Amino acid sequence: MVFDRKRAETTPAREERTTSQKVHVIACGAIAREILAIARINSLDYIDLRCLPAILHCYPQKITPELDKAVAEARERGFDRIFIGYADCGTGGDIDRLCEREGIARLSGPHCYSFFTGNEDFAERADEDFASFFLTDFLARQFEAFVIQPLGLDRHPELKDMYFGNYKKVVYLSQEEDPELQKKAKAAADYLGLDYEYRFTGYGDLGQELLAV
């Protein structure tokens, strides 16, 4: 977790939680910033966070094998309580099968766009957003590294229409109201030749689920 000097100087010292008392959260690196913020704001000192590389976002078939390894390592370290900080994330139910086998839970919903929006709200807007390409704060920051380069658009810009020809708009689901990130998201929409829509979501269902853990 992030060390907050001011908080440490003004908060009475508390006994450090043991490994068995903590909840080991194995999460996608793309939401690490948000998990740390929620934990800090709500003093969730019971969370022990480990993040897998965010680039797995581009290769969903690799997510569950990496989670399987991380769960085994957490068991070896003595963690009794483990929580998966992923939604399904394109794994076709593989994460659910892992969770069932290990007796652990994961974030609700199909992907981060859904739980940041709020899973119920996202489902209700499914028809409206059918032809939308979503960005989060992370993807707005890392658009080139996580969209342009993996799709090869930096080398073959002619593929842009092939990948995005059926999309109508970019929807930026914003966790923090950051004008610079809004500019980046708008630039991404312009690059793709799509309309742009901004929606401030905050942390959506992510905060509620971490509190429930």
Side-chain angles (χ1 to χ4, degrees), residues 127-134 163-171 189-190 192-197:
D127 290 340
E128 173 188 346
D129 289 338
F130 180 73
S132 298
F133 182 77
F134 294 99
Y163 285 124
F164 295 97
N166 291 323
Y167 287 100
K168 294 182 178 179
K169 61 181 176 180
V170 166
V171 178
D190 292 342
L192 297 176
L194 301 174
D195 292 338
Y196 172 72
E197 182 177 340

Coordinates of all heavy atoms in Angstrom, one line a residue, residues 127-134 163-171 189-190 192-197:
D127 N -28.0 -1.5 -25.4 CA -28.4 -1.1 -26.8 C -27.9 0.2 -27.2 O -27.4 0.3 -28.4 CB -30.0 -1.1 -26.9 CG -30.6 -2.5 -26.7 OD1 -29.9 -3.5 -26.9 OD2 -31.8 -2.5 -26.3
E128 N -27.9 1.2 -26.3 CA -27.3 2.5 -26.7 C -25.8 2.4 -27.0 O -25.3 3.1 -27.9 CB -27.6 3.4 -25.5 CG -26.9 4.8 -25.6 CD -27.1 5.6 -24.4 OE1 -27.9 5.2 -23.5 OE2 -26.3 6.6 -24.3
D129 N -25.1 1.5 -26.3 CA -23.7 1.5 -26.4 C -23.1 0.4 -27.2 O -22.0 0.1 -27.2 CB -23.1 1.4 -25.0 CG -23.2 2.6 -24.1 OD1 -23.4 3.7 -24.7 OD2 -23.2 2.6 -22.9
F130 N -24.0 -0.2 -28.0 CA -23.7 -1.4 -28.7 C -22.5 -1.2 -29.7 O -21.6 -2.0 -29.8 CB -24.9 -1.9 -29.6 CG -24.6 -3.1 -30.4 CD1 -24.5 -4.4 -29.8 CD2 -24.4 -3.0 -31.8 CE1 -24.2 -5.5 -30.5 CE2 -24.1 -4.2 -32.5 CZ -24.0 -5.4 -31.9
A131 N -22.4 0.0 -30.3 CA -21.3 0.3 -31.2 C -20.3 1.3 -30.6 O -19.8 2.2 -31.3 CB -21.9 0.9 -32.5
S132 N -20.0 1.2 -29.3 CA -19.1 2.1 -28.6 C -17.8 1.4 -28.3 O -17.8 0.2 -27.9 CB -19.8 2.6 -27.3 OG -20.9 3.3 -27.6
F133 N -16.7 2.2 -28.4 CA -15.4 1.7 -27.9 C -15.1 2.5 -26.6 O -15.1 3.7 -26.6 CB -14.4 2.0 -29.0 CG -13.0 1.5 -28.6 CD1 -12.7 0.2 -28.7 CD2 -12.0 2.4 -28.1 CE1 -11.4 -0.3 -28.4 CE2 -10.7 2.0 -27.8 CZ -10.4 0.6 -27.9
F134 N -14.8 1.7 -25.6 CA -14.7 2.3 -24.2 C -13.3 2.6 -23.9 O -12.4 1.8 -24.1 CB -15.3 1.4 -23.2 CG -16.8 1.3 -23.3 CD1 -17.4 0.2 -23.9 CD2 -17.7 2.3 -22.9 CE1 -18.7 0.0 -24.1 CE2 -19.1 2.1 -23.0 CZ -19.6 1.0 -23.6
Y163 N -10.5 -2.6 -38.0 CA -10.7 -2.8 -36.6 C -11.9 -1.9 -36.0 O -12.7 -2.4 -35.2 CB -9.5 -2.5 -35.7 CG -8.4 -3.5 -35.8 CD1 -7.1 -3.1 -36.2 CD2 -8.6 -4.8 -35.5 CE1 -6.1 -4.0 -36.3 CE2 -7.6 -5.7 -35.5 CZ -6.3 -5.4 -35.9 OH -5.3 -6.3 -36.0
F164 N -12.0 -0.7 -36.5 CA -12.9 0.2 -35.9 C -14.1 0.7 -36.8 O -14.8 1.6 -36.4 CB -12.2 1.4 -35.3 CG -11.2 1.1 -34.2 CD1 -9.9 0.8 -34.5 CD2 -11.7 0.9 -32.9 CE1 -9.0 0.5 -33.5 CE2 -10.8 0.6 -31.9 CZ -9.5 0.4 -32.2
G165 N -14.1 0.1 -38.0 CA -15.1 0.6 -39.0 C -16.6 0.4 -38.5 O -17.5 1.2 -39.0
N166 N -16.8 -0.5 -37.6 CA -18.2 -0.7 -37.1 C -18.6 0.0 -35.8 O -19.7 -0.1 -35.3 CB -18.5 -2.2 -36.9 CG -18.5 -3.0 -38.2 OD1 -19.0 -2.5 -39.3 ND2 -17.9 -4.2 -38.2
Y167 N -17.6 0.7 -35.3 CA -17.8 1.5 -34.1 C -18.4 2.9 -34.5 O -18.0 3.4 -35.6 CB -16.5 1.7 -33.3 CG -16.1 0.5 -32.5 CD1 -15.1 -0.3 -33.1 CD2 -16.7 0.1 -31.3 CE1 -14.6 -1.4 -32.4 CE2 -16.2 -1.0 -30.6 CZ -15.2 -1.8 -31.2 OH -14.8 -2.9 -30.5
K168 N -19.2 3.5 -33.6 CA -19.7 4.8 -33.9 C -19.1 5.9 -33.0 O -19.0 7.1 -33.4 CB -21.2 4.8 -33.8 CG -21.9 4.0 -34.8 CD -23.4 4.0 -34.6 CE -24.2 3.2 -35.7 NZ -25.6 3.3 -35.5
K169 N -18.7 5.5 -31.8 CA -18.2 6.5 -30.9 C -17.3 5.9 -29.9 O -17.3 4.7 -29.6 CB -19.4 7.2 -30.1 CG -20.2 6.3 -29.3 CD -21.4 7.0 -28.6 CE -22.2 6.0 -27.8 NZ -23.4 6.7 -27.1
V170 N -16.4 6.8 -29.3 CA -15.6 6.5 -28.2 C -16.3 7.0 -26.9 O -16.7 8.2 -26.9 CB -14.2 7.1 -28.3 CG1 -13.4 7.0 -26.9 CG2 -13.4 6.4 -29.4
V171 N -16.5 6.1 -26.0 CA -17.1 6.6 -24.7 C -16.0 6.5 -23.6 O -15.5 5.4 -23.3 CB -18.3 5.7 -24.3 CG1 -18.8 6.1 -22.9 CG2 -19.4 5.7 -25.3
A189 N -10.3 9.5 -29.7 CA -11.5 9.4 -30.6 C -11.2 10.0 -31.9 O -11.6 9.5 -33.0 CB -12.6 10.1 -29.9
D190 N -10.5 11.2 -32.0 CA -10.2 11.8 -33.2 C -9.3 10.9 -34.1 O -9.5 10.8 -35.3 CB -9.5 13.2 -33.0 CG -10.4 14.2 -32.4 OD1 -11.7 14.0 -32.5 OD2 -9.9 15.2 -31.8
L192 N -9.2 7.7 -34.1 CA -10.0 6.6 -34.6 C -11.1 7.1 -35.6 O -11.8 6.3 -36.2 CB -10.6 5.8 -33.5 CG -9.6 5.1 -32.5 CD1 -10.4 4.5 -31.4 CD2 -8.8 4.1 -33.3
G193 N -11.3 8.4 -35.7 CA -12.3 9.0 -36.5 C -13.7 8.7 -36.0 O -14.7 8.5 -36.8
L194 N -13.9 8.7 -34.7 CA -15.2 8.4 -34.1 C -15.7 9.5 -33.3 O -14.9 10.4 -32.9 CB -15.0 7.1 -33.2 CG -14.6 5.8 -33.8 CD1 -14.3 4.8 -32.7 CD2 -15.6 5.4 -34.8
D195 N -17.0 9.6 -33.0 CA -17.6 10.6 -32.2 C -17.1 10.3 -30.7 O -16.6 9.2 -30.4 CB -19.1 10.5 -32.2 CG -19.7 10.9 -33.5 OD1 -19.0 11.6 -34.3 OD2 -20.8 10.5 -33.8
Y196 N -17.2 11.3 -29.9 CA -16.6 11.3 -28.6 C -17.7 11.6 -27.5 O -18.5 12.5 -27.7 CB -15.5 12.3 -28.4 CG -15.0 12.4 -27.0 CD1 -14.2 11.4 -26.4 CD2 -15.2 13.6 -26.3 CE1 -13.7 11.6 -25.1 CE2 -14.7 13.7 -25.0 CZ -14.0 12.7 -24.4 OH -13.5 12.9 -23.2
E197 N -17.8 10.8 -26.5 CA -18.7 11.0 -25.4 C -18.0 10.8 -24.0 O -17.2 9.8 -23.9 CB -19.9 10.1 -25.4 CG -20.9 10.3 -24.3 CD -22.1 9.4 -24.5 OE1 -22.4 8.9 -25.6 OE2 -22.8 9.2 -23.5

